[in-house]
Amino acid sequence: MRRSVLMISSLIMLMACGGKKAQTESSEAVDNDSTAILAQEEMTGLIKELYAAKAKNEVGIDQLYACHTWRKMVAAVEEKDSHVAEIGFFNDDYWTQMQDSNPSDLEARDIKFEQLDVEKGRATVSFLLHSSVQVVRQKFEFCHEDGNWRVHNIIRYFQDVDGKEEESSLMEGMRSYLDEPLEEESQELTFANMAGIYDDEKQESRFCLNEDGTATWGMIGSLNYTEYTYTINGNTICLKPKGVESEDDCYDYDENTRTLKNEQGAVYYRQIVD
């Protein structure tokens, strides 16, 4: 009888230990779920706050909602853009895809978590950005930084030539843009760098521009020629015959094709002299 009591007691202890283990595992699962839920709530709130601020056209959005890597990348792009004469990398507000001021009714809807790893501090969230101007779909990649979730990358959607939806990463686009060499700025035209020989398309007539601001025109092979003086305004060269009252004959210079072209369509090609 005593042996049976001992066996029953041991069985009860084993069951208690097993129950305690199961209870612990269940508690850990609940804690993990709670952590994920809190992370989702934080990122959802961040998205909504971000676009509420954008709707008011507030400044400092990047400092409040973006990670260090994003801010450094944008700063590098803007620095490069400052040396570009034309439109730089960003042709719109990268948060809203708006080219003008943002409308006051911006709202992020249909927020969906496509990937979430709380331990690694990574998440991917897609949403629709609604407004009275347009509705666009885009995606944020998040990182956990300095104790907070922050936007690490913006992914846009576009249709390729076959109508298939594709993704475009702004972070990757900025990296590629920064790797590209800066285009050389257009050289200012002067008498010195424009001096040379310019033949027409059929190589029948020829302009000779000189460094002293004088020029000649004549038929190739002929000893007769007309003398000119010329002026330079931007990329436009205007020739005036010497000793003759007449309107200037103006030509636009294209440095890419090395041509002079006037309004009547006459084109003269700069000759390369060895």
Side-chain angles (χ1 to χ4, degrees):
M1 181 69 178
R2 182 179 181 183
R3 184 178 179 183
S4 299
V5 172
L6 289 173
M7 290 178 65
I8 293 171
S9 299
S10 298
L11 181 60
I12 292 173
M13 290 178 66
L14 287 171
M15 291 177 63
C17 290
K20 184 176 182 181
K21 181 179 179 181
Q23 185 179 3
T24 301
E25 290 177 350
S26 176
S27 178
E28 288 177 353
V30 171
D31 289 343
N32 289 335
D33 289 342
S34 299
T35 302
I37 291 171
L38 289 173
Q40 290 181 14
E41 289 177 350
E42 181 180 346
M43 283 180 272
T44 299
L46 183 150
I47 294 171
K48 291 185 175 294
E49 286 178 14
L50 190 157
Y51 286 109
K54 270 295 176 185
K56 298 176 183 178
N57 290 301
E58 294 182 0
V59 297
I61 299 297
D62 287 41
Q63 285 71 24
L64 288 172
Y65 303 104
C67 69
H68 295 298
T69 303
W70 174 269
R71 299 202 300 268
K72 288 180 180 178
M73 194 70 72
V74 169
V77 167
E78 290 177 343
E79 164 61 21
K80 184 173 183 177
D81 283 351
S82 67
H83 303 287
V84 177
E86 299 179 356
I87 296 174
F89 180 79
F90 292 115
N91 191 29
D92 55 23
D93 184 329
Y94 44 78
W95 293 108
T96 64
Q97 300 187 39
M98 300 281 185
Q99 291 186 330
D100 300 318
S101 60
N102 296 309
S104 60
D105 58 348
L106 282 171
E107 183 183 3
R109 301 178 185 174
D110 299 329
I111 299 173
K112 298 178 181 178
F113 284 79
E114 298 185 0
Q115 183 265 338
L116 173 60
D117 191 324
V118 177
E119 290 185 2
K120 293 183 179 180
R122 294 289 181 269
T124 304
V125 186
S126 65
F127 58 92
L128 294 177
L129 182 58
H130 283 253
S131 74
S132 55
V133 177
Q134 63 183 16
V135 178
V136 294
R137 181 179 172 222
Q138 57 185 23
K139 187 185 297 185
F140 283 169
E141 288 181 353
F142 282 91
C143 65
H144 199 257
E145 184 177 87
D146 299 332
N148 297 295
W149 289 97
R150 292 289 181 261
V151 179
H152 175 74
N153 186 21
I154 300 174
I155 296 175
R156 292 181 174 180
Y157 295 88
F158 68 96
Q159 289 187 336
D160 62 15
V161 292
D162 298 322
K164 182 181 178 182
E165 187 177 65
E166 299 286 350
E167 294 183 355
S168 174
S169 165
L170 288 187
M171 183 67 79
E172 291 179 7
M174 286 190 288
R175 286 198 184 100
S176 298
Y177 176 68
L178 292 173
D179 288 339
E180 296 173 359
L182 273 172
E183 294 183 4
E184 295 184 4
E185 294 184 4
S186 299
Q187 187 178 24
E188 182 182 0
L189 304 188
T190 64
F191 291 148
N193 61 37
M194 289 307 296
I197 298 170
Y198 300 80
D199 291 350
D200 72 350
E201 295 176 280
K202 297 181 180 179
Q203 291 192 315
E204 295 176 344
S205 61
R206 169 176 292 171
F207 273 116
C208 293
L209 303 183
N210 304 315
E211 292 188 21
D212 61 359
T214 63
T216 59
W217 177 90
M219 302 301 292
I220 295 176
S222 173
L223 297 178
N224 299 317
Y225 56 86
T226 304
E227 293 183 319
Y228 293 83
T229 58
Y230 70 97
T231 58
I232 299 175
N233 183 16
N235 68 331
T236 301
I237 294 176
C238 291
L239 297 103
K240 186 176 184 63
K242 285 186 177 181
V244 179
E245 289 295 330
S246 67
E247 294 183 356
D248 293 353
D249 188 12
C250 295
Y251 294 79
D252 288 329
Y253 181 69
D254 186 331
E255 64 179 349
N256 294 318
T257 59
R258 298 171 61 88
T259 57
L260 289 170
K261 183 177 181 180
N262 66 7
E263 292 182 353
Q264 290 72 41
V267 180
Y268 284 80
Y269 292 83
R270 187 169 188 172
Q271 305 303 300
I272 299 176
V273 180
D274 296 331

